[in-house]
Amino acid sequence: MMESERIAAVARRFAFAGEFASAERWGSGHIQESYCVACREGSVRRRYLVQRVNRAVFHDVPALMENIRRVTEHVSQRVQGQPDAERRVLRLVATQDGWLWHEGPDGACWRAYRMIERARSYEAVESPEQAFAAARAFGEFQAQLADLPPPRLAETIPDFHNTPKRLAALEQAIRDNVAGRVTDAQAEIEFALARRGLAGVLVAAGLPERIVHNDTKLNNVLFDEVSGGALCVIDLDTVMPGLAPCDFGDLVRTATCSAAEDERDLKKVAMQMPLFEALLHGYVSAAGGFLTAAEKPLLSAAGKVITYEQGIRFLTDHLAGDRYYRVERDGHNLDRCRTQFALLASMEKQEAAMERLVQAMSG
Ligand code: GN1
Ligand code: MG
């Protein structure tokens, strides 16, 4: 079956308004497979985001979808009454039979969201104002979920930001050397192992558990195409119990650097202090009210830890033969790892300045 026919068949299972018109590949995620589906009803055209859930990564689809249902319904109540409320949260669309996902005959699981129109995301940050807005959006998201009623959300990927376990997985991948790539990645392996001390900085700090997003890449914020303001955060697959500084750290990783995550020219990779400052102020403007005295000081180290962890994850996947992240070229995960480690080295050089900003803000 042609891809478009396959997506059309999936789309027809969902309670979309109108007739299927077209489908195209969408977005730049490394894990899920996304399509933009357009439907037509008379002269009205509506678009939906249809995603195939990667079951190799998300083992418990019912638990994943129940998390997302609870989170989106809760945030939707919280934004009610705000201008443009329907564009401030993702909303699932159920199947014709009322299910939150559709399982195809081939075992593939699909889900659908309403498309948030006149909105876009960015792969690289364009201004301090944008960094501020992205960080504020993730801080607001944490604040909106602070009073989510029990039960505890499911852990869709256990130990997701458990950096010591990520390090242990790297060490295992080095021992297994299944793809025979260890020799060529020696420099990166040494870089990683020389910084083992970073792994425990967040997880061993005794921080409170909160509901966090866990994948706060800059490209997981939607901005209004006209005003440029942040509308909402997307990619809710890893929203689960976790640590607030991890969310801030992943923002620092992705929004202080204007080079792409897989940039091969490492000279372009640097942590830019004005962007760090904008992120810090944006995040604290929304989250400052609930962050504790244990969490706040860790905002200076969070970027380093998460950048380190992400470098380790890319390196591990490279050594394992590219089984987790989607790759588009040979050595893609190694390139991504190098970018992370170059960014981490840049953060190490600017550590004292980052600490000063955080102290000034907490004091
Ligand atoms: C993956 O799917 P995407 O691109 O939003 C990954 C994140 C990584 C990120 C690195 C479930 O996110 O944890 O930080 O790639 N998501 C999962 O770009 O592993
Ligand atoms: Mg994403």
Side-chain angles (χ1 to χ4, degrees), residues 28-31 57-58 157 160 215 217 220 235 238 250 253 261 310 313-314 324-325:
S28 61
H30 297 334
I31 308 289
V57 171
F58 295 99
I157 303 181
F160 192 60
D215 188 9
K217 276 161 87 164
N220 282 334
D235 197 349
T238 52
D250 208 26
R253 177 181 81 80
E261 192 177 60
Q310 190 62 59
R313 291 176 64 192
F314 286 142
Y324 189 89
Y325 296 105

Side-chain angles (χ1 to χ4, degrees), residues 36-76:
C36 171
V37 166
C39 292
R40 213 178 293 281
E41 193 177 32
S43 60
V44 182
R45 190 166 161 273
R46 291 189 192 82
R47 300 197 304 165
Y48 300 91
L49 183 73
V50 173
Q51 290 185 312
R52 180 186 170 148
V53 179
N54 184 332
R55 299 190 76 176
V57 171
F58 295 99
H59 301 298
D60 188 347
V61 175
L64 168 72
M65 295 310 297
E66 177 61 6
N67 271 10
I68 295 181
R69 182 192 67 75
R70 289 175 59 203
V71 165
T72 53
E73 285 180 2
H74 188 77
V75 175
S76 158

